[in-house]
Amino acid sequence: MFDQFLAKIEEINDFLNGIVWGWPVIILILATGILLTVRTGFLQLSHFKDSLNSTIVPALKSLGKKNDSDSNIKAVSQFEAFSTAISGTVGTGNIVGVVSAILTGGPGAVFWMWISAFFGMVTNYSENVLGLYFRKKDQHGNLSGGSFYYIANGMKQKWLGYCAAVFCVFAAIGMSGVQTNKISGTITEAISSVVEVVNTDIMHLIIGVIVAIISAFIILGGIQRIGKVASMLVPVMSLLFIVMSLVTIFRHVTAVPQAFAMIFKSAFQLKAAGGGILGYTFATVIKKGMARGVFSNEAGLGSSVIAHSASETREPVKQGLWGVFEVFFDTFIICTLTSISFLTSFDVNTLSSEMEDTAMSMALFSSNYGGFGTAVFSLILPLFAFTTIIAWSYYGEKAVEFCFGWLEETTRRKIVTVFKVVYILLIAASATIHSELIWAIDDTFNGLMAVPNLICLVALNGLVVKITRNYFARKKGENIEPMLSAYPEINEEFKQDLLREEA
C-alpha cells in the first residue's frame, strides 16, 4: 500500500516537474530576462563596472572593519547578505549540475547556460531591487523581504504571494534533505575508500546528526550568524575550487581551444556531435543548458532575494548590483571553470548520458589529482552543500513568517521556532533516505517558486526601471526624492539615514 502511495506521488510529481521545468517556464524565464534587460538598457553591460565598484571592490576593502550601521536596524552587511545568497546558489549545482548538463545535453548546453546567465543577471538585479523596496521592518528592527512581499504588496496579489511563500517553505525543507543526503553520501564514500564501513546506514545517520547539530548552532543564531558563517566559508571554498580548476585547465591548456569550439559548435547543431552523446536534439541542448543555468544561479526563482533583503544598505539599486555580480560569479566564473575543466580532462566521445553525474564529478578531481583530488572533492562538495542548508533555512524561516504575518508577534515567533526545530530534525533524518523521490520533489517546488515570481517581475518591470533611473540620477547630482522604500515612513527613515552618512 505504501509503495503504491509513493508511486502515485512520483507520478504526480513527474507531471508537475514536466510543467514547471518544461518549455513554457523556460521560455518565461528567458523572456522575463530579455524584457528586463531591454527595459534597463542592458544594465548588465552598461553598469557592470558600477556593479564591481559598488560591490566586491569595497567589500574586499572593508573586510575586518567594524560594522557601524544604525543600531535601530538589525541587519547584515552587504557582503554578508551576498555571501548568504550565493551560499544558497554556489553549490552542488555548479559542479555536479554542470557535469550533468554536459552528459545529458552535450557541450553545447554550456553555451545556453551562459545565455540564461547573461539575461539572468538583470533578473536577479530586479528581484533584489524589488525585494529591498518592498521589505518590511518589525518593531525590533529586523528587516524581512522576498518575492512574496513584492508580489503581495507590489502587485497587490496576496494570494499569489502566499503561494510563493508556501512553495518556498517546501523547497527549503526539500533542499535541506537533498543537501544533507549529498553530504552523508560523499563523506561515507570517502571514508569507505580508506577503511571498511560495516553499516553505511548508521554512518549516514551519524553524519546527519553531526550536520544537524552544527546547523542548529548557526540557524538558531539568526541571519546575523548565518551571514557571518557564510561570509567566512564561501570565499575560502570558492577560492580553493577556482585554484584547482585553473590548475586543471593549465595542465590541459592545449585542449582549451577545442573545448570552447565544442561548446559553440554543438550549441547550434541539430544533433550533438560525438560518439557517446549522439541523438540529442537542438531543443534538448537548449533546455538542459538553460534549466541547469537557472538551477545553478537561481535567477528568477525568487530565493536569493530573501537574503539580500536583510542587507543594511538603504539603497535598493546598490544591493541589486550585488545580484548582477552574484550571477556573473556563479555561472560565468564557477560554472565555466567546471565545464572547461571537465571538457579538457575527458574525451567527449567516450561520454554517455547513462554515466552518473556525481561519480563523474569526483572523477574530474581524482583523475587530475589522485587521492588528494578525491579528498578535496569530499571536502568541497559537503561544505558547498552545508552552506546551502543554512541559507535555505533562512529562506524557509522568512516564508513561514510571511505566511503567519497576520498573527500576533509572540505566536508568530513560536511558529517560526517550530519550523527551525523541524528543519534541523529533518537534516538528521534525511541523511539516511535512499529514495530519489525527495530530490525530484524539491526540484519541482524550486520550479513552482519561479512562476509567481516571474509573473510579478514582468508586471512590475516599470517600477524597476523607475527605481533604477532614480538612483543613477541622484548619483549624477540631481536633487530628487529618493526611492528607497514603498512605505512612506520607512522611505523617510532611510532618507534621513543617507543624509547622516553623507554629512
Side-chain angles (χ1 to χ4, degrees), residues 433-455:
I433 297 175
H434 297 287
S435 174
E436 294 294 321
L437 183 58
I438 187 174
W439 291 78
I441 292 175
D442 182 63
D443 196 35
T444 298
F445 277 111
N446 276 331
L448 285 171
M449 281 181 64
V451 178
N453 180 57
L454 293 168
I455 292 172

Side-chain angles (χ1 to χ4, degrees), residues 411-475:
T411 305
R412 189 171 66 249
R413 284 182 175 275
K414 288 180 180 178
I415 294 174
V416 170
T417 301
V418 170
F419 167 79
K420 288 182 178 182
V421 172
V422 171
Y423 188 92
I424 292 166
L425 292 175
L426 288 175
I427 289 175
S430 59
T432 61
I433 297 175
H434 297 287
S435 174
E436 294 294 321
L437 183 58
I438 187 174
W439 291 78
I441 292 175
D442 182 63
D443 196 35
T444 298
F445 277 111
N446 276 331
L448 285 171
M449 281 181 64
V451 178
N453 180 57
L454 293 168
I455 292 172
C456 186
L457 289 176
V458 172
L460 298 181
N461 76 88
L463 180 58
V464 173
V465 173
K466 191 175 180 181
I467 296 171
T468 302
R469 289 175 178 171
N470 177 277
Y471 172 77
F472 286 110
R474 286 186 287 113
K475 288 273 287 184

Side-chain angles (χ1 to χ4, degrees), residues 195-248:
V195 296
E196 183 181 356
V197 177
V198 178
N199 192 317
T200 56
D201 286 341
I202 293 178
M203 179 60 70
H204 278 283
L205 182 59
I206 292 173
I207 295 170
V209 170
I210 293 173
V211 172
I213 292 173
I214 299 174
S215 299
F217 173 74
I218 299 170
I219 291 170
L220 295 177
I223 184 61
Q224 283 79 17
R225 190 173 296 169
I226 292 173
K228 281 182 170 53
V229 172
S231 65
M232 290 187 290
L233 288 180
V234 169
V236 174
M237 292 187 306
S238 299
L239 182 60
L240 178 59
F241 178 78
I242 289 171
V243 169
M244 293 192 70
S245 296
L246 287 174
V247 171
T248 299

Side-chain angles (χ1 to χ4, degrees), residues 147-161:
S147 63
F148 20 89
Y149 282 91
Y150 54 74
I151 292 171
N153 302 313
M155 201 168 70
K156 307 296 184 183
Q157 298 294 329
K158 289 191 175 182
W159 70 272
L160 197 59

